[in-house]
Amino acid sequence: MTSRSPATVMIVDDDYDIRETLEDILGSEGYRVLGAANGVDALALLKKGERPNVILLDLMMPVMDGETFCSVWRGDPSLADIPVVILSADPRAREKARSCGATDLLPKPVQLTALLAMIEHYVG
Amino acid sequence: MPLDFRAVLEVLADAAIVSDASGRITFLNAAAHTLLGWSKDQLIGRPLTTIMPERMRAAHEQGFARFIATREPRILGKPIRVPALHHDGREIDIELTLSIVDQDGQLTIIGVLRDLRERIELEQKLFSQRLIAAQYAVATVLADAVGTAEAIPRVLRALTEALDWEVGVYWNANPDGSLDAKFGHWRGDPRNEAFARTSQRIHLQRGEGWPGRVHESGQAMFGTELDRAEGYVRRELAVALGLKSVLLFPVICSSHRHGVLEFLSAHAEERDEQLVRLMTGVGFTIGQFMERLEIETSLRESREWLQTLLKSIGDAVIATDQHGAIRFMNPIAEQITGWTAAEAIARPLDQVLRIIDEETHATMESPVETVIRERRIVHLANHTMLVPTRAPQRVIEDSGAPILDRSGKLIGVVMCFRDVSEKKRIERREREAERRAAMIADLVPELVWTLSAEGGLEFRNQRWQDYAGKIEGDWLKLVHPADRARVSAAWKRTREISIPLTEEARLCRATDGEILWHLLRIVPIKDAEDRRVGWAASATEIERQKREEEGSRFLDEATALLSASLDYEKTLRALATLSVPRIADWCSITLADQKRPLIIAHVDPEKVRWAQELSEKYPPEQTAKTGAHHVIRTGKSELYSEIPDSLLSAAAKNAEHLELMRKVGLRSGMIVPMNAGGRTIGAITFISAESRRTYRLTDVALAEQLAERAAHAVDNARLYAEAQHAVRVRDEFLAIASHELRTPLTPLQLQVQALQKSPNERSSARLETISRQVARLEELVNNLVDISHITAHSLRLEYSTVDLAEVLREVVAKFQMQAARSSSTIKVTSIASATGWFDRARVQQIIANLLSNAIKFGSGGAIDVTLTVEQDIARLSVRDDGIGIADEARARIFERFERAVSSQHYGGFGLGLWLTRELVEAQGGAIHVESELGKGSSFTVALPLKRAELPAPSSLLEVKR
């Protein structure tokens, strides 16, 4: 795999296995992966100055869910140009993605090829 | 017939004054006293000139002297108009008719005076008084006679009967003086008819025969021995028939000789000069009648006179001698008694009739007996009954007058009577009919009344009076004000076009003010001539029918209302509002778990607020022995037909509360339970106040039905809410379940796929298996999610331009491996492209499901997939050679959890075809199957390529699954 650094993907998901898997897979694909267990952690990373090329965002999370995160993201001009892709198993993910103004959607479970194509699209 | 003229004159309606030959007044009757004002004492013995105006006296004395000297016949019986002097000095115009009676050589002059101006008064007197028999008979005939031809035969009949002679003939004078016997009448021996008929064929020349002579001379002739009568033309015939006497007299008037009347008797009559004179007078009367008929100018007067006498018809006259033996009967008397005059004459009156009291039936003295005893005129006005020995008894009005000779000796009695039984019978029948009608009217349960033609109240039956009380004048006052305008309009219409009225209206009961529905009917009453003389009206209480009708209509409306909404509070409020004022003035609804009524309704929102405040201030006792909470506890209705003050006192919390409740004017009430599913969930209270209606058991039945329906509606609303909740819970569960199932799939799938990217020999086959199973798990989870969406009606399709041929190729390619594993071959026959507006992922899913089924049930044979397009409809067909589907299963394989074969042999949820059908139909298509058991199945999906109603493609979030 060719190194495409410093392309950074932020994973916001409360499921540890998903974060691990994505960090593993995307890491092996040459992406720098930032993991956050909820919206608050994600915002903390962004506050520290992290500027990922794309954010993969789960919806159902403790502390701060995806939708709340979205409203903060949209309200902050310094963040607004970062694409946010909803990665969720929520049956109503499509409506929620629309209503919270997300850039795109990847319903769980996700095919590896579809995942990589999506990231490629926004990082590319 | 020895009649004393005085007796006759006394009963005469006309004034009569009698003088002797010296011109001194010897008698005047009561009518004369009335007419002239002079009493008997003032006039008797005085000269006739006393009653004449001064200027007339000389002429009178001259004329009278000549009259006595010459007895000039032309003034006899000829009415002349002269003025008379009233006692008070007035001059009055009278019509004077003079006649002269010669008794034993003594002359008596009788003047009959008729007041021309006071005719009406006279008519009345005439009506109640009597004429003597023969004159009366003639007068009676002439009174209602229309013309000579009609009158003469009756005169003949009347006179033959009055005289008791056998044959009467009228000889009509022709202008040349010849005579024709125009009319004849006979009685007694039937052979007499031959004489009458023969006479009628005879034409006598002027002066020929006895009639000719009488006509020429103007003098009566009396032949007592017909067999020796000279010049009598029909002598032989008359003798052969046994006729012995003949009397002829002219029908004469001053200006004209009309003819001759001839009467024959089978008896050898003695010459009776008085009879001759009397008949001469009759001849004058008839002549006068005829003249009157001829003279146009006197026609009106004549008519009045005739009409006056007309009223006398029906009066019977019987004359007796001083011992009460009958001497004369007129035809009416004959008719009433059943005796002919011939039979009755000489018999004592009591053999022919007696008189009894109408009520007691006790025999009474007859007027004849009274007159004989008291020698005065008697009038036995009413309540007497004539009991003839040969005829039915009748109610009569009778009178009697003595017949006195010159010396004042009683020589007979004239009795006049009038049959009033018909009148009485009619009166009685009318009274009877009226009483019967009233009795019947009292028996019927309706209100019955009659109205005059103008609409004024007349008869009212007892029920009417009980119901309406003291209403007078306008019956519409009975009608409740709310209906009065409508009924009034209908009543007006009815009167205008005289058609029966039928209207339903509420009537107010006077006793207690209760308002009850009635059916009003009014029909015109018509008399025999079809003239409207009034109205008959009835009112039938239809409260029950009306309430039932109203009740069922109300129930229908209420039921519609109850099923209109699932918001039970809104529904109950609408129900309560519907109830007022339809069935109650107040309606309140209390639910089992609430202390105060949930809803209080009244037409006046002000009153509702007031009642709510009242119920907050004085909340109902939960443990009371009556009332809504009691009904809720017991589930039994309570009915208070009347709400007496004691009930209010018992319910009141204090004096103020009592006063407030009294103010409402509660009249009647009922509380019914709202029973549903074996529970009482509440109670509805209906109260009547200002509408004054009284509830009965039937109303309770209606209210119970209503409450039950309301209870069901509330129960349904509850069940619906519960069901809604259950659905929400299920959907939530499904959403969470699918989320939770998918979440672990995500890393699992990604890990497998990542591993597969760097395969090694040993692990690749295993990874393949893991990957396949993960995919299968994913498909199951996806189906589950779809199902939850479809059942929750929240399936969203993501439309885009999709080429079905391309999708088909992709899906088939994916399935090639799987098909190969089950030794199936997929053969595709497809057109190059079939582009339409579809949800790409759903189309993939449809094709995948069909292929998956074909592989699963295809028994490893060939699978033919074809895609064609015809008229903008794409047809995708997947055919296998497998086990096929039994006929009975074919219809249900598209239903949820259905399968054609046992799940023991073939796995799966049994949701595949149902989901496929749902997805096809959601995109406007259809799916059907053709199959034969053991020979395979063919599923065909038809999808329209163009659809107008498709949603616009979304600008964002194209399907990327």
Side-chain angles (χ1 to χ4, degrees):
Chain A
M1 289 283 148
T2 55
S3 171
R4 297 275 297 272
S5 301
T8 305
V9 178
M10 182 186 272
I11 314 288
V12 189
D13 202 314
D14 59 330
D15 191 301
Y16 174 79
D17 281 344
I18 287 178
R19 287 204 307 277
E20 277 294 306
T21 301
L22 287 175
E23 278 172 24
D24 182 11
I25 290 168
L26 294 179
S28 64
E29 289 291 325
Y31 294 106
R32 176 170 167 256
V33 180
L34 295 170
N38 55 58
V40 172
D41 286 0
L43 287 175
L45 286 171
L46 292 169
K47 213 174 180 181
K48 278 193 221 156
E50 292 286 355
R51 285 297 179 269
N53 299 80
V54 65
I55 300 171
L56 300 179
L57 179 70
D58 188 17
L59 285 174
M60 282 198 238
M61 293 178 291
V63 187
M64 182 192 275
D65 66 14
E67 284 160 290
T68 314
F69 174 84
C70 272
S71 63
V72 177
W73 158 69
R74 274 189 289 117
D76 187 340
S78 69
L79 304 176
D81 58 342
I82 304 172
V84 171
V85 175
I86 302 292
L87 181 68
S88 173
D90 191 321
R92 295 175 60 231
R94 198 175 298 274
E95 295 99 282
K96 288 181 178 175
R98 270 189 195 154
S99 69
C100 70
T103 317
D104 221 322
L105 170 71
L106 270 173
K108 287 179 184 171
V110 67
Q111 299 290 324
L112 181 61
T113 48
L115 172 76
L116 294 179
M118 177 73 77
I119 291 166
E120 187 72 17
H121 176 75
Y122 287 107
V123 170
Chain B
M1 194 177 293
L3 290 172
D4 183 333
F5 277 103
R6 292 180 185 197
V8 172
L9 292 174
E10 191 62 63
V11 294
L12 209 59
D14 285 339
I17 292 179
V18 179
S19 81
D20 58 16
S22 69
R24 294 202 173 269
I25 295 168
T26 56
F27 172 82
L28 69 155
N29 69 358
H33 167 65
T34 310
L35 176 64
L36 299 173
W38 299 90
S39 70
K40 287 189 183 185
D41 290 346
Q42 285 168 330
L43 281 185
I44 288 174
R46 306 276 300 277
L48 278 168
T49 50
T50 314
I51 56 164
M52 292 173 194
E54 190 107 37
R55 58 189 155 82
M56 303 295 294
R57 286 176 186 166
H60 163 75
E61 275 169 359
Q62 211 178 352
F64 187 76
R66 193 175 63 238
F67 173 68
I68 296 299
T70 63
R71 311 224 187 139
E72 195 180 348
R74 67 182 164 83
I75 64 160
L76 277 177
K78 179 191 173 190
I80 50 170
R81 285 193 171 195
V82 288
L85 187 65
H86 192 272
H87 181 245
D88 64 13
R90 276 185 296 132
E91 268 186 39
I92 45 177
D93 279 324
I94 56 155
E95 189 184 63
L96 173 68
T97 310
L98 286 175
S99 57
I100 186 163
V101 178
D102 186 353
Q103 274 185 316
D104 309 327
Q106 278 206 308
L107 289 180
T108 303
I109 297 102
I110 303 170
V112 175
L113 294 74
R114 181 166 295 168
D115 183 6
L116 295 175
R117 294 168 310 165
E118 296 181 3
R119 176 147 288 180
I120 293 164
E121 192 187 323
L122 267 177
E123 279 172 1
Q124 287 163 351
K125 287 192 184 302
L126 190 62
F127 177 69
S128 64
Q129 297 187 1
R130 317 294 168 221
L131 296 169
I132 65 165
Q135 283 176 323
Y136 181 87
V138 172
T140 303
V141 168
L142 297 181
D144 72 340
V146 179
T148 318
E150 182 251 350
I152 297 299
R154 292 169 60 205
V155 167
L156 292 174
R157 178 168 183 262
L159 285 176
T160 50
E161 284 167 356
L163 298 170
D164 194 21
W165 286 33
E166 271 67 29
V167 180
V169 176
Y170 175 68
W171 298 89
N172 188 57
N174 299 312
D176 63 359
S178 65
L179 297 171
D180 286 302
K182 269 196 166 176
F183 306 100
H185 180 79
W186 63 276
R187 55 197 286 278
D189 189 335
R191 290 183 304 161
N192 291 333
E193 188 184 2
F195 189 85
R197 284 188 181 283
T198 303
S199 300
Q200 277 171 264
R201 284 194 291 268
I202 291 173
H203 175 76
L204 293 175
Q205 295 304 320
R206 186 186 188 116
E208 188 187 355
W210 285 37
R213 275 194 246 167
V214 169
H215 185 60
E216 279 291 286
S217 68
Q219 297 291 329
M221 285 180 81
F222 202 149
T224 54
E225 294 163 331
L226 254 183
D227 53 336
R228 284 187 284 160
E230 276 184 34
Y232 193 83
V233 176
R234 296 147 292 158
R235 190 175 68 186
E236 281 173 28
L237 179 61
V239 171
L241 293 173
L243 295 170
K244 293 192 172 66
S245 309
V246 63
L247 169 64
L248 294 113
F249 54 90
V251 174
I252 194 168
C253 207
S254 55
S255 62
H256 189 64
R257 295 184 184 177
H258 298 273
V260 173
L261 277 167
E262 179 185 35
F263 292 92
L264 295 105
S265 171
H267 303 282
E269 304 279 346
E270 276 183 37
R271 181 178 174 85
D272 182 343
E273 287 302 326
Q274 196 175 326
L275 178 66
V276 172
R277 279 195 202 94
L278 192 71
M279 287 302 116
T280 303
V282 168
F284 275 120
T285 309
I286 298 168
Q288 189 182 13
F289 163 74
M290 289 179 168
E291 191 168 64
R292 276 177 190 235
L293 282 180
E294 288 165 7
I295 299 167
E296 282 289 323
T297 49
S298 64
L299 192 63
R300 190 192 59 81
E301 202 178 50
S302 150
R303 195 176 296 139
E304 277 178 8
W305 184 70
L306 291 175
Q307 281 175 356
T308 302
L309 289 174
L310 182 71
K311 293 175 182 171
S312 300
I313 289 176
D315 284 8
V317 177
I318 295 176
T320 70
D321 62 17
Q322 69 271 37
H323 307 295
I326 294 172
R327 300 299 302 271
F328 168 82
M329 271 172 94
N330 76 345
I332 294 117
E334 286 187 319
Q335 190 195 327
I336 290 176
T337 58
W339 290 73
T340 64
E343 292 167 320
I345 278 171
R347 289 177 189 276
L349 186 67
D350 58 14
Q351 277 189 18
V352 173
L353 58 88
R354 68 196 172 91
I355 287 176
I356 60 168
D357 185 279
E358 191 191 351
E359 307 273 297
T360 65
H361 285 212
T363 301
M364 292 173 73
E365 195 172 50
S366 78
V368 171
E369 291 170 289
T370 314
V371 170
I372 289 171
R373 185 161 42 78
E374 297 185 5
R375 298 185 175 225
R376 61 172 185 87
I377 298 167
V378 292
H379 293 278
L380 300 177
N382 277 320
H383 313 301
T384 54
M385 218 169 196
L386 182 76
V387 187
T389 49
R390 289 186 179 176
Q393 62 188 42
R394 312 160 185 256
V395 182
I396 55 160
E397 286 168 3
D398 52 20
S399 63
I403 303 172
L404 305 171
D405 72 4
R406 254 183 320 159
S407 61
K409 186 181 152 215
L410 181 85
I411 55 165
V413 177
V414 179
M415 172 188 175
C416 294
F417 53 93
R418 169 186 302 233
D419 177 9
V420 292
S421 41
E422 183 63 15
K423 187 174 129 200
K424 292 264 173 176
R425 203 164 57 79
I426 289 169
E427 276 174 11
R428 199 165 50 238
R429 203 166 55 199
E430 277 175 2
R431 269 202 312 275
E432 189 58 35
E434 232 167 69
R435 212 177 61 227
R436 198 173 306 142
M439 266 170 66
I440 291 168
D442 280 340
L443 280 176
V444 296
E446 284 90 358
L447 313 187
V448 176
W449 67 101
T450 63
L451 301 160
S452 66
E454 294 73 38
L457 263 174
E458 288 179 339
F459 169 80
R460 281 150 273 189
N461 72 346
Q462 193 57 45
R463 247 168 219 278
W464 201 97
Q465 294 169 44
D466 293 347
Y467 195 94
K470 297 263 177 275
I471 291 178
E472 287 297 336
D474 189 2
W475 66 273
L476 280 166
K477 287 182 211 160
L478 180 64
V479 179
H480 188 267
D483 297 332
R484 201 174 289 159
R486 176 173 54 84
V487 174
S488 177
W491 170 225
K492 186 164 172 274
R493 207 165 50 243
T494 291
R495 269 177 302 167
E496 278 164 7
I497 54 178
S498 200
I499 48 139
L501 170 145
T502 305
E503 281 287 322
E504 289 181 359
R506 282 161 288 188
L507 304 184
C508 317
R509 188 153 71 198
T511 46
D512 54 3
E514 177 148 15
I515 294 151
L516 298 170
W517 275 100
H518 282 78
L519 179 66
L520 301 180
R521 287 200 194 88
I522 301 182
V523 293
I525 305 171
K526 294 193 173 168
D527 68 6
E529 278 79 48
D530 207 36
R531 283 183 306 238
R532 199 178 71 203
V533 294
W535 302 89
S538 75
T540 312
E541 195 197 303
I542 51 163
E543 183 67 19
R544 214 180 118 186
Q545 295 94 305
K546 198 72 186 170
R547 281 201 196 186
E548 279 173 6
E549 190 183 295
E550 171 74 10
S552 79
R553 196 165 51 230
F554 179 72
L555 263 185
D556 287 347
E557 278 178 44
T559 307
L561 197 70
L562 290 170
S563 52
S565 166
L566 282 160
D567 176 344
Y568 77 93
E569 188 171 337
K570 202 171 114 194
T571 302
L572 290 179
R573 192 168 298 285
L575 178 72
T577 309
L578 185 70
S579 305
V580 294
R582 291 276 291 275
I583 62 168
D585 298 307
W586 292 92
C587 175
S588 72
I589 302 177
T590 307
L591 294 184
D593 50 1
Q594 292 171 356
K595 199 176 177 194
R596 276 185 284 277
L598 174 71
I599 290 151
I600 297 175
H602 186 278
V603 281
D604 181 358
E606 200 56 49
K607 289 196 172 179
V608 173
R609 266 195 298 283
W610 174 84
Q612 273 161 349
E613 282 163 21
L614 188 70
S615 88
E616 269 159 43
K617 195 167 179 186
Y618 302 109
E621 291 287 350
Q622 303 269 19
T623 54
K625 288 278 187 282
T626 56
H629 287 288
H630 186 251
V631 168
I632 291 169
R633 276 202 310 282
T634 61
K636 297 259 168 32
S637 299
E638 289 175 10
L639 168 65
Y640 304 97
S641 285
E642 307 286 332
I643 299 181
D645 198 57
S646 58
L647 199 66
L648 295 182
S649 305
K653 303 260 167 79
N654 56 36
E656 189 207 23
H657 189 205
L658 179 63
E659 198 46 49
L660 287 172
M661 286 201 295
R662 276 179 181 155
K663 256 195 214 157
V664 187
L666 304 175
R667 181 178 177 85
S668 188
M670 53 185 176
I671 311 169
V672 291
M674 293 167 67
N675 291 326
R679 293 183 308 129
T680 303
I681 62 167
I684 308 183
T685 306
F686 297 98
I687 299 285
S688 126
E690 52 269 38
S691 74
R692 310 185 71 86
R693 55 188 292 160
T694 302
Y695 295 120
R696 303 196 178 81
L697 282 172
T698 50
D699 298 301
V700 174
L702 169 72
E704 281 176 346
Q705 282 189 56
L706 180 69
E708 193 177 313
R709 291 182 197 193
H712 281 125
V714 171
D715 212 37
N716 284 347
R718 184 181 58 80
L719 288 173
Y720 179 76
E722 282 175 10
Q724 287 281 82
H725 179 68
V727 166
R728 216 161 39 240
V729 167
R730 183 200 64 187
D731 289 348
E732 265 170 41
F733 172 77
L734 276 172
I736 291 162
S738 60
H739 181 264
E740 294 307 308
L741 287 169
R742 277 169 167 175
T743 301
L745 272 175
T746 305
L748 193 57
Q749 201 168 21
L750 287 172
Q751 290 291 5
V752 170
Q753 286 168 355
L755 281 173
Q756 282 176 319
K757 284 190 83 171
S758 51
N760 63 51
E761 284 297 314
R762 284 188 61 217
S763 62
S764 67
R766 289 176 184 166
L767 279 173
E768 186 65 31
T769 307
I770 293 168
S771 174
R772 213 168 40 243
Q773 292 305 316
V774 168
R776 196 174 149 198
L777 197 57
E778 189 194 355
E779 192 194 321
L780 286 171
V781 171
N782 282 341
N783 280 352
L784 200 61
V785 173
D786 284 343
I787 287 157
S788 69
H789 277 302
I790 289 168
T791 53
H793 303 288
S794 61
L795 182 74
R796 300 281 173 107
L797 296 180
E798 296 295 330
Y799 286 94
S800 61
T801 305
V802 175
D803 182 355
L804 293 178
E806 185 197 324
V807 176
L808 176 63
R809 281 192 295 275
E810 282 171 19
V811 178
V812 168
K814 268 193 193 170
F815 274 86
Q816 286 297 1
M817 187 90 79
Q818 197 182 329
R821 274 198 296 273
S822 60
S823 347
S824 301
T825 54
I826 303 175
K827 190 184 144 208
V828 178
T829 313
S830 170
I831 58 165
S833 134
T835 307
W837 193 242
F838 299 110
D839 181 326
R840 185 182 188 91
R842 298 311 186 184
V843 171
Q844 286 175 343
Q845 214 175 333
I846 291 162
I847 299 169
N849 280 350
L850 291 178
L851 281 176
S852 151
N853 272 358
I855 294 165
K856 193 171 168 184
F857 301 109
S859 312
I863 296 165
D864 289 323
V865 179
T866 56
L867 176 64
T868 57
V869 173
E870 199 181 318
Q871 288 179 337
D872 285 334
I873 293 185
R875 283 180 202 282
L876 174 74
S877 176
V878 179
R879 198 183 61 77
D880 65 63
D881 303 332
I883 55 170
I885 303 162
D887 284 352
E888 52 85 21
R890 215 178 304 146
R892 55 183 175 86
I893 53 170
F894 293 110
E895 298 303 321
R896 255 191 291 191
F897 306 111
E898 290 289 350
R899 57 183 76 232
V901 291
S902 162
S903 59
Q904 289 179 343
H905 299 96
Y906 298 90
F909 289 154
L911 291 165
L913 281 175
W914 174 75
L915 187 59
T916 303
R917 191 196 69 184
E918 290 286 330
L919 294 174
V920 168
E921 288 175 358
Q923 296 180 84
I927 184 168
H928 78 275
V929 62
E930 285 167 26
S931 178
E932 203 175 321
L933 202 59
K935 290 189 178 174
S937 309
S938 175
F939 287 85
T940 303
V941 171
L943 287 168
L945 294 175
K946 289 178 182 167
R947 285 195 292 144
E949 73 279 17
L950 285 177
S954 62
S955 56
L956 179 70
L957 299 175
E958 291 297 306
V959 178
K960 293 187 179 81
R961 287 182 63 149

